[in-house]
Amino acid sequence: MSEMRSENGRFYFEEKGTTTAEVSFSPMGVQVISIDHTFVSPSLRGKGIAEQLIRGVISHARSENLKIIPSCSYAEHHFDKFPEDRDVLQ
């Protein structure tokens, strides 16, 4: 597995030039972002990859003093499962 990367509103993993997993987010106003899409290639599912990506966005939000709206179902699931991360919720 490659190293997690970030650019232009997304955190992702890539293998041989192909995105194998990503979470995307977009601005929703002043100091607020929405996690709007999570994708993990079928061959990588069940390995905690989506959680790593969501945690990347959470870390970014904390460092930039942003709040998050979890608009995709996986992001909603993450915040239900990990109450300690709810400090960044809008």
Side-chain angles (χ1 to χ4, degrees):
M1 173 59 67
S2 63
E3 184 176 305
M4 184 169 55
R5 300 177 183 175
S6 67
E7 69 177 17
N8 302 326
R10 74 183 187 131
F11 282 80
Y12 66 101
F13 287 97
E14 188 175 81
E15 190 172 308
K16 297 178 185 174
T18 300
T19 299
T20 55
E22 75 174 336
V23 62
S24 62
F25 57 94
S26 54
M28 294 296 288
V30 178
Q31 297 300 106
V32 179
I33 58 174
S34 171
I35 297 176
D36 43 35
H37 176 72
T38 304
F39 165 77
V40 176
S41 173
S43 65
L44 297 176
R45 291 182 186 161
K47 298 180 180 181
I49 304 299
E51 183 180 333
Q52 288 179 49
L53 292 166
I54 293 289
R55 289 195 182 280
V57 177
I58 290 169
S59 177
H60 168 72
R62 285 180 177 142
S63 70
E64 298 295 320
N65 198 28
L66 302 172
K67 291 296 184 181
I68 295 173
I69 297 170
S71 298
C72 79
S73 60
Y74 185 82
E76 289 176 1
H77 168 75
H78 177 88
F79 288 105
D80 286 343
K81 186 175 178 182
F82 298 100
E84 65 272 20
D85 289 334
R86 293 182 190 158
D87 63 295
V88 296
L89 289 180
Q90 168 69 31

